[in-house]
């Protein structure tokens, strides 16, 4: 039987009964530096959606002829996605070097969903509305495919344990930048649609991708900085800016296609080596 002290105010709970001990803990003590970088990732993704809406979609719906504004907004939206990729790269490095809070993994998945799921999918959706040869409903379907691919990929990442140093499926930041690069190439609608769906399939595939650590992380960061420069040159209509941007986008797409080929070739070679060793072991 529970005995209640009549002098105790209703709803009062003793301090030592606070299970998690975080009732009076300040927010700064609960968020690590890595978590702050992860929130920067989410902010960049949201702002990418904002610039895509205000600088591309709304002028198109209102009949504005300011093509320069649309170009600047498109470049800004993609640069923000690139900045989100930088935050995503550094929050993992900082978490390994310093510490991460218990909610770090959940924050990372939610932020990645915004920056590398919602933002590129919305970019594809708007492309289907403003491009001359695009079909809006088909583009909406492609955008949904991209979004669901990222959702499934992030959910699988949280549930499946893989060998150290490898991802299963194209990482969502790499996939998002590849999808945006396909759109910026301004190819005919059907090849663009097929390429976008192909990237979505790679994100949920079992193809192995190396994690960006060490030299690979430096190379990735250098590539992101170079891509920002190409986008800025294109936005301000610098001489050769259009050609430079298309070259950079084409290189991004080629990398997205070549890495799975190398991974598949490596898996085939490993399988052949294992069969040879098994046959050699069976010989008398």
């Amino acid at each position: 039987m529970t005995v209640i002290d009549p002098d105790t105010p209703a709803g009062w709970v003793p301090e030592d009964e606070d299970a998690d001990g975080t009732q009076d803990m300040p927010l700064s003590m609960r968020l690590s530096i890595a978590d702050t970088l992860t929130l920067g990732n989410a902010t960049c993704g949201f702002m990418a959606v904002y610039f895509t809406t205000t600088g591309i979609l709304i002028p198109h719906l209102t009949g504005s002829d300011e093509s320069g504004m649309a170009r600047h907004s498109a470049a800004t939206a993609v640069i923000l996605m690139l900045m989100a990729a930088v935050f995503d790269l550094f929050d993992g490095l900082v978490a390994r070097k310093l510490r991460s809070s218990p909610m770090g993994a959940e924050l990372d998945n939610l932020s990645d969903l915004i920056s590398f799921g919602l933002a590129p999918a919305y970019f594809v959706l708007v492309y289907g509305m403003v491009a001359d040869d695009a079909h809006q409903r088909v583009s909406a379907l492609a955008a949904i495919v991209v979004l669901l691919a990222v959702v499934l990929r992030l959910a699988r990442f949280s549930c499946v344990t893989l060998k150290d140093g490898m991802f299963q499926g194209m990482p969502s930041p790499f996939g998002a930048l590849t999808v945006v690069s396909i759109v910026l190439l301004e190819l005919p609608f059907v090849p663009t649609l097929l390429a976008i769906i192909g990237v979505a399939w790679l994100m949920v595939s079992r193809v192995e991708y190396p994690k960006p650590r060490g030299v690979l992380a430096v190379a990735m960061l250098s590539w992101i900085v170079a891509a920002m420069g190409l986008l800025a040159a294109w936005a301000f209509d610098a001489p050769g800016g259009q050609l430079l941007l298309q070259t950079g986008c084409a290189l991004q797409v080629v990398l997205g296609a070549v890495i799975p080929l190398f991974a598949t070739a490596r898996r085939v070679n490993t399988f052949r080596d294992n069969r040879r060793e098994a046959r050699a072991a069976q010989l008398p």
Side-chain angles (χ1 to χ4, degrees), residues 230 233-234 237-247:
L230 294 177
W234 173 68
D237 202 16
Q242 179 74 22
L243 179 60
L244 290 173
L245 178 67
Q246 290 184 342
T247 302

Side-chain angles (χ1 to χ4, degrees), residues 48-86:
V49 173
Y50 169 79
F51 278 100
T52 303
T53 302
T54 59
I56 303 175
L57 180 59
I58 292 178
H60 173 76
L61 296 177
T62 57
S64 175
D65 295 330
E66 298 181 8
S67 59
M69 177 181 177
R71 176 178 291 192
H72 289 171
S73 298
T76 302
V78 180
I79 287 175
L80 284 165
M81 293 184 213
L82 289 167
M83 291 178 62
V86 174

Side-chain angles (χ1 to χ4, degrees), residues 32-142:
S32 65
I33 298 176
D35 296 333
T36 304
L37 295 174
T38 303
L39 294 178
N41 172 5
T43 303
C44 289
F46 174 78
M47 293 305 296
V49 173
Y50 169 79
F51 278 100
T52 303
T53 302
T54 59
I56 303 175
L57 180 59
I58 292 178
H60 173 76
L61 296 177
T62 57
S64 175
D65 295 330
E66 298 181 8
S67 59
M69 177 181 177
R71 176 178 291 192
H72 289 171
S73 298
T76 302
V78 180
I79 287 175
L80 284 165
M81 293 184 213
L82 289 167
M83 291 178 62
V86 174
F87 280 117
D88 185 61
L89 176 64
F90 278 101
D91 67 0
L93 297 175
V94 171
R96 286 191 292 270
K97 293 292 183 181
L98 300 178
R99 69 176 182 87
S100 60
S101 69
M103 58 183 175
E106 287 73 15
L107 282 176
D108 189 61
N109 278 346
L110 292 172
S111 298
D112 286 354
L113 179 59
I114 296 172
S115 299
F116 312 125
L118 176 62
Y122 187 71
F123 200 82
V124 171
L125 178 65
V126 173
Y127 155 75
M129 300 177 68
V130 304
D132 295 333
D133 64 338
H135 301 277
Q136 182 174 337
R137 293 183 179 178
V138 180
S139 299
L141 180 61

